[in-house]
Amino acid sequence: MKLIVLQDVLYIVLIIALSIPLGWYMYRVMSCRRFFLSRILLPIEECIYRTSGTDKNREMTAAQYGGAVLTFSTVGLIFLWLIQMLQGHLPFNPEKISGTSWDLAFNTAASFVSNTNWQAYSGETTLSYFTQSLGLTVQNFMSAATGIAVLFALLRGLVLKQKQTIGSFWVDLTRVTLYILIPLSLIVAVLLISQGVVQTLSMYRPVLTLETGAVQTIPLGPAASQIAIKQLGTNGGGFFGVNSAFPLENPTQFSNLLEAVSILLIPAGLCVSFGCAVNDKRQSRSVYAVMLILFIAALAAITAAELFTAPVYGDVAMSGNMEGKEVIHGIGASSLWAACTTAASNGSVNCMHDSLTPLGGFMPLFLMQLGEIVFGGTGSGLYGMLAFVLMTVFIAGLMVGRTPEYLGKKIEPFDMRMVCLVILVPLLCTLLGTAAAVTRPGVTKWLTNSGAHGFSEVLYAFSSMAANNGSAFAGYAADTVFTNVTGGIIMLLSRFIPMYAVVLLAGNLAAKKMIAAGEGTLATHNVRFTGLLLAVVLIIGALSFLPALALGPLADYFSVLK
């Protein structure tokens, strides 16, 4: 128990310590300031602009910025969809894997373009090296960069005064990819290779097993490069079927810590960037504190559930729940990862979430259902939390009879309509998708378990897709035409409707004038506001999903309680 606590404390200290310099660095990158990498990367950046015909000095209106986001993502969706279906005729396919079905290709394309990385397949048996590298890995970079770009468009909207433009999407996308994601991914990939994570274009390797002498095929591939960006970009899609529970994807305790830190590193750093962008670090500390409180509470709850609520078999009480966990990671590291991957919209796993105890599975579900705002995805987590900040400011304004203000900008009806889209669209997609699935006549054939746990499997699947998370209880048979098509649509709607709403919100805020703070202005950086924001987040999550959670993991817990 002491070792688990020390491990968790070390992890939190590392995240805080690393996020501060990284947040400052990302702010400088997005402010187009020169720094130590400029001498190397600036010529490459300029070459990209010349080749693509981009005028880096031409800024976009909100409508133009949002249109560029949707156009770019649509092209990526179609490109990845076609690659998967045609991969049998494309190079770098030493195992001669044929193309996927149209519905699985659509689901996977929607999943990776939307930064969800939900997988209804096993990578080593379904996708070629070409598809993994040119298709999935590229989208890991692009979807993460898109989220960060949209976040900085919103931050500009908060600080600009009576401006009709919010920056250039193409410049933002280029700078995020070139100066932030690629350098960090190179560092993490090299460290992962040093730990034994595979990075090769060689064919799969047959080996003789020591126990039986039988031949076993060991899957290989360019995994380390994809794993680095899957964690840093809060993508989460596993190169191999069992994701980071697989020894060739996560072989050591150091690689486990490195990958876990990578999951929250950029989202936490963006909170620091927020404070730099608005020139008020107190604002970022308030948001950071709410995220950290929710994360620590969830981590403690998952760890306690796995340690102390393990099932009793006959008269034998288990000392912790090790089912579905790798021995090298144990309960502590597995619980930490489960909290990290569902706090962020990452979705990678180092244990099987379907094997968590009912209360252990409750918290990852609830973290996703909050809207992936507890650090959340790269960019999307913070702009989702800022939507809750504006909601809190609006509620507080109603309570005292004042027009709500945030950072010197009046929050008006249009702003609140955009905020509601950001908060409510994933929520509705989760509930409607779950309802559609459980009313299907053959849904019981798709489930490993029946009863409350079977319902939890369905609820988890659609919570994961609607939250752009990508993890799964894995007891739900996902590769069906219904789930592939419905899930793909849900992932796209949950990603791009809130994202477009954030861009429009940014444009509307940028066009406003600044107003001076008065005696009645609500302070949004003190302990009182932090507590109010925390309450709003929990109340909206609880009121929205408590009935479904009561039918799923809570009912499951009481059904096995003895």
Side-chain angles (χ1 to χ4, degrees):
M1 183 64 183
K2 289 182 179 179
L3 289 176
I4 292 176
V5 173
L6 287 174
Q7 170 190 262
D8 293 345
V9 170
L10 171 64
Y11 178 83
I12 293 168
V13 169
L14 282 173
I15 290 295
I16 295 173
L18 294 173
S19 67
I20 295 172
L22 178 62
W24 174 83
Y25 168 76
M26 290 190 290
Y27 166 68
R28 290 186 65 86
V29 167
M30 300 309 291
S31 300
C32 297
R33 301 185 184 184
R34 295 183 67 89
F35 47 90
F36 64 96
L37 286 178
S38 297
R39 182 175 298 179
I40 301 171
L41 297 180
L42 189 58
I44 301 174
E45 181 187 0
E46 296 291 345
C47 180
I48 292 172
Y49 296 147
R50 287 195 302 270
T51 305
S52 62
T54 300
D55 181 359
K56 67 177 183 179
N57 297 314
R58 183 181 179 183
E59 296 194 348
M60 297 176 171
T61 64
Q64 291 170 335
Y65 199 104
V69 169
L70 296 180
T71 301
F72 178 74
S73 300
T74 301
V75 171
L77 173 73
I78 296 171
F79 181 70
L80 183 52
W81 193 352
L82 293 175
I83 281 181
Q84 293 174 84
M85 292 188 289
L86 298 174
Q87 70 178 0
H89 307 286
L90 297 173
F92 299 107
N93 187 5
E95 300 305 313
K96 309 298 181 185
I97 300 173
S98 60
T100 65
S101 64
W102 70 268
D103 55 293
L104 179 59
F106 168 70
N107 183 274
T108 305
S111 175
F112 279 77
V113 168
S114 64
N115 200 242
T116 308
N117 294 54
W118 168 269
Q119 293 174 286
Y121 61 87
S122 292
E124 63 266 42
T125 60
T126 308
L127 300 181
S128 67
Y129 294 167
F130 186 89
T131 304
Q132 293 269 26
S133 300
L134 192 61
L136 304 191
T137 304
V138 168
Q139 284 305 319
N140 282 347
F141 279 97
M142 295 300 100
S143 63
T146 300
I148 297 173
V150 170
L151 169 66
F152 275 94
L154 176 61
L155 298 185
R156 292 188 198 108
L158 289 170
V159 299
L160 292 173
K161 294 177 284 187
Q162 295 179 296
K163 199 82 185 291
Q164 299 303 314
T165 57
I166 54 173
S168 169
F169 172 69
W170 306 117
V171 172
D172 291 344
L173 185 76
T174 301
R175 292 189 68 82
V176 170
T177 305
L178 193 59
Y179 290 92
I180 299 173
L181 297 180
I182 290 179
L184 286 175
S185 296
L186 283 172
I187 295 170
V188 173
V190 169
L191 290 174
L192 289 175
I193 292 170
S194 75
Q195 296 302 297
V197 178
V198 295
Q199 181 72 17
T200 179
L201 294 176
S202 300
M203 296 179 64
Y204 292 1
R205 191 70 54 83
V207 297
L208 292 176
T209 60
L210 294 177
E211 288 186 1
T212 64
V215 176
Q216 180 179 351
T217 301
I218 303 298
L220 302 173
S225 55
Q226 184 173 326
I227 294 163
I229 186 58
K230 92 169 185 182
Q231 307 296 24
L232 287 165
T234 61
N235 295 282
F239 191 94
F240 303 105
V242 291
N243 211 284
S244 291
F246 191 58
L248 295 185
E249 196 163 320
N250 183 18
T252 68
Q253 291 180 337
F254 177 75
S255 70
N256 190 77
L257 177 63
L258 176 64
E259 292 183 33
V261 167
S262 299
I263 292 173
L264 294 189
L265 182 59
I266 293 179
L270 288 171
C271 292
V272 179
S273 301
F274 164 54
C276 296
V278 300
N279 197 29
D280 188 350
K281 293 184 174 64
R282 298 173 302 175
Q283 303 293 336
S284 62
R285 284 197 291 266
S286 177
V287 171
Y288 204 134
V290 171
M291 292 181 175
L292 202 57
I293 290 168
L294 288 169
F295 175 74
I296 292 172
L299 172 58
I302 296 171
T303 305
E306 295 305 296
L307 282 173
F308 305 123
T309 66
V312 176
Y313 297 100
D315 295 328
V316 180
M318 306 297 291
S319 58
N321 176 36
M322 276 297 295
E323 183 184 351
K325 298 177 178 66
E326 289 292 307
V327 174
I328 190 174
H329 304 316
I331 291 175
S334 300
S335 300
L336 174 62
W337 193 295
C340 294
T341 196
T342 49
S345 62
N346 182 269
S348 64
V349 295
N350 74 345
C351 71
M352 295 299 102
H353 287 194
D354 198 34
S355 298
L356 295 174
T357 62
L359 294 184
F362 174 95
M363 286 311 303
L365 256 174
F366 192 60
L367 282 172
M368 292 188 295
Q369 290 167 350
L370 289 177
E372 295 285 17
I373 56 168
V374 184
F375 296 107
T378 50
S380 60
L382 182 53
Y383 70 60
M385 179 60 86
L386 290 176
F388 273 97
V389 169
L390 295 180
M391 176 70 77
T392 305
V393 168
F394 182 75
I395 292 172
L398 291 179
M399 293 171 65
V400 298
R402 283 181 55 88
T403 301
E405 304 166 11
Y406 185 60
L407 298 178
K409 299 289 183 75
K410 287 188 176 182
I411 307 304
E412 296 170 320
F414 178 84
D415 304 313
M416 291 312 302
R417 286 196 290 271
M418 297 303 102
V419 165
C420 289
L421 284 175
V422 174
I423 294 173
L424 296 180
V425 167
L427 183 157
L428 291 172
C429 285
T430 298
L431 296 177
L432 291 174
T434 303
V438 297
T439 54
R440 296 280 298 179
V443 66
T444 54
K445 298 178 182 178
W446 303 343
L447 300 175
T448 304
N449 297 276
S450 59
H453 194 78
F455 177 77
S456 296
E457 291 172 347
V458 179
L459 179 63
Y460 194 106
F462 286 93
S463 297
S464 178
M465 287 185 277
N468 295 138
N469 181 272
S471 64
F473 260 13
Y476 178 72
D479 190 11
T480 63
V481 175
F482 169 81
T483 304
N484 283 336
V485 175
T486 305
I489 293 171
I490 283 174
M491 287 184 279
L492 294 174
L493 293 177
S494 297
R495 171 71 165 181
F496 292 107
I497 291 178
M499 183 173 279
Y500 195 77
V502 168
V503 173
L504 295 182
L505 174 63
N508 196 52
L509 290 171
K512 297 180 181 183
K513 62 181 181 180
M514 288 286 188
I515 56 175
E519 293 183 0
T521 301
L522 175 68
T524 55
H525 53 74
N526 55 23
V527 175
R528 183 190 308 164
F529 182 79
T530 301
L532 184 58
L533 174 59
L534 185 61
V536 169
V537 169
L538 291 175
I539 289 171
I540 291 177
L543 292 179
S544 303
F545 291 105
L546 189 56
L549 292 169
L551 292 173
L554 293 179
D556 191 18
Y557 169 73
F558 287 109
S559 68
V560 299
L561 190 62
K562 292 186 179 180

